[in-house]
Each structure stands twice: as C-alpha cells, then as structure tokens.
Amino acid sequence: MTRLLGIHGVRNYKAADTTPGIGAKRLRTDWLAALGSSVPGLELEMAYYADLLRSERQSDELDGTDVVLVEQWARAWGIDPSGVQGRATGWVRYICGQVAQRSGQRPAVVEKTVRMFFPEVARYFATGRIGVLERVTAAMLRHRPDAVVAHSLGSVVAYEALHELADELDVKLLLTLGSPLALPHAVFHRLDPAPRDGLGSRLPGVRRWVNVADVGDFVAVPKGELARVFPGVEELSEISIAPAWPHGVLDYLRHRSVSGAITAANRSM
C-alpha cells in the first residue's frame, strides 16, 4: 500500500466545491481515473486549496502584479517584453506568440494558460500563502504520505510545506509535474526559505525528488534548471505527455514516467 498525497495546481476551483472536502473528493476521483491501474495498492488523498486562491474577478484580465510576473516569465524564455508598448491585450499576445514559437505550441493555448496561471501565483505570494500552507501541512500530517505528487503551482506549495514540517515526515518520493519552481524572480526568488547563493534548499524529510516536465511545457521553465538550482533533484525533461496542451495534470498522471516513479518508491518501502 502506497499512501500518496496529491497537491493540485491552478484553476481547480469549481462552484460546486462548497467545502474543501468536496473539492478534494472531486480531484481525487479525477487523479485516480488518470492513474488507472498503473499503480496498484494506491491510497490517494488530495490537499485542496483552490478555494483560497480563486479570483473575485469574473474575467481572465491580468492586473499589475500579474503583468510583472508575465514579464519575468518572458525573460526566462529569452524574450524582451519592453519591446512592445503598453500592457494591453496586444502586449500579452505578443509575448505568448513568441513563447509559442519557441515551445512549438499554439499561441491561443499559451495565452489561455498564462491568464489562468499567473493570477493565482500572484495571489499565493501576495495574500494566500499562510492559508494555503496551513491547509496543505494539515493534510500532510493527517495522511502521512509515502509519496507526494505536486503539479504546477502545487509544487511550490509542496516545497514550502515540506520545509515547514522539517523532519516530521518521512517522504520516500516527491514527484513534481510541470513545476515552475526554478522560474527566476517570478517564483524562485520568492520562495520561503529563500535561495542562498543561487541555490534552493535541500528538502528535509524527502528521500528522493523527481521532476517531470514535458519538452513543450511553457510553464516549466527554464528547461533543465530545476536540477541545477535544487540539490538532489532527478530531472526527467525529455518527455512528451500531450502535444496539444503540455501542462495538463491528467496527461502527466497518465504518463509511464509518473507511474514508474511511484511504483519504484513503493518497491523501496
């Protein structure tokens, strides 16, 4: 039996999630369906925090803080965002178009992801961190996972939550999917604990950390950087999970590298 804790990424709030428990149950069903029978003996629970970061705005328009993060993300792609005047829709589309060329994705897909991703990242670092970490650390202590699987922004939450718990847990595997943890300034330099001498901290209580990133995942940048700036990370970056949208968690969960890493952790117990 493998006790696995899932930590979701952005845009996972639904109006039907009237309690965190309902949201967690919905996501658990989705994740189990994606994993299928590839990981036998799995006891999966979800740490749900989407309600704490949901936007009060009904549109995906970016505000000033979001724009700053988009600029930092663009620079990680080698794009100079100052080359376009203003901060209107055309500016965002130009940057997303440039990223689409570099990643081999459709511009509309990149733009939609940017408008979903960065507002929640901004809210996490500005006002949501304390509440989210309280929710996630409580789930970790309650479930005592053998493995933690964290997607997208959830990998940032997992990193900070595991540091808060220090040596209270014995996690055989941390599996991060489509992680933005190495994204300079927008994420990496905002982490707690803060990086020192350009390096993140080794995670206490974690025996093995594997990072999986699709070759075209435009959120998980800079490519191959996670293993350089975080000690002990095993980087699996030369994979393709879904050419149409390479950042989706369910496609990551269906990939053999994910089930293989979880199964290997199970054998080591």
Side-chain angles (χ1 to χ4, degrees):
M1 181 70 69
T2 302
R3 295 189 308 276
L4 189 150
L5 183 71
I7 305 179
H8 63 77
V10 304
R11 211 53 174 263
N12 274 285
Y13 176 78
K14 304 293 183 185
D17 298 342
T18 53
T19 68
I22 292 174
K25 184 177 180 180
R26 173 178 57 81
L27 290 177
R28 179 179 181 274
T29 299
D30 292 344
W31 281 42
L32 281 174
L35 286 166
S37 59
S38 59
V39 185
L42 191 64
E43 184 183 320
L44 172 66
E45 296 296 336
M46 297 297 301
Y48 178 83
Y49 62 86
D51 56 315
L52 301 176
L53 298 182
R54 69 188 181 95
S55 176
E56 295 178 359
R57 295 172 288 164
Q58 297 303 307
S59 70
D60 288 323
E61 290 304 312
L62 302 174
D63 66 17
T65 304
D66 306 338
V67 164
V68 170
L69 297 182
V70 173
E71 287 180 333
Q72 293 164 341
W73 171 73
R75 290 191 171 94
W77 275 100
I79 299 164
D80 182 4
S82 64
V84 182
Q85 297 298 316
R87 293 295 183 269
T89 299
W91 177 83
V92 175
R93 286 184 177 165
Y94 167 78
I95 289 174
C96 292
Q98 293 295 304
V99 171
Q101 288 182 16
R102 289 161 168 78
S103 63
Q105 302 303 316
R106 290 182 292 126
V109 172
V110 178
E111 183 175 347
K112 180 180 179 181
T113 304
V114 163
R115 292 183 182 278
M116 290 193 302
F117 180 73
F118 285 106
E120 288 198 30
V121 173
R123 284 193 287 277
Y124 175 75
F125 285 119
T127 60
R129 180 186 250 145
I130 293 175
V132 170
L133 288 177
E134 285 179 352
R135 185 87 57 84
V136 173
T137 54
M140 286 181 172
L141 290 173
R142 183 171 60 250
H143 192 52
R144 297 280 171 179
D146 302 306
V148 173
V149 177
H151 174 244
S152 189
L153 176 60
S155 67
V156 179
V157 177
Y159 177 83
E160 297 194 333
L162 287 165
H163 271 293
E164 278 204 4
L165 294 176
D167 297 319
E168 294 188 49
L169 298 175
D170 179 18
V171 176
K172 281 73 176 178
L173 172 69
L174 169 63
L175 184 59
T176 49
L177 313 175
S179 175
L181 270 164
L183 181 57
H185 306 294
V187 175
F188 182 68
H189 292 90
R190 297 169 186 247
L191 292 174
D192 184 17
R196 298 184 61 181
D197 300 322
L199 295 176
S201 303
R202 182 177 291 276
L203 280 169
V206 174
R207 299 189 193 181
R208 185 185 183 207
W209 179 356
V210 176
N211 183 61
V212 179
D214 187 288
V215 292
D217 192 330
F218 33 81
V219 171
V221 291
K223 294 300 178 187
E225 189 75 354
L226 209 72
R228 190 188 72 80
V229 297
F230 291 98
V233 176
E234 301 172 40
E235 189 93 59
L236 304 181
S237 56
E238 295 303 315
I239 67 167
S240 177
I241 60 158
W245 191 47
H247 189 63
V249 65
L250 299 183
D251 290 312
Y252 269 113
L253 292 172
R254 293 185 187 104
H255 196 272
R256 62 185 179 277
S257 64
V258 171
S259 58
I262 298 171
T263 301
N266 189 21
R267 287 198 298 264
S268 69
M269 296 173 199

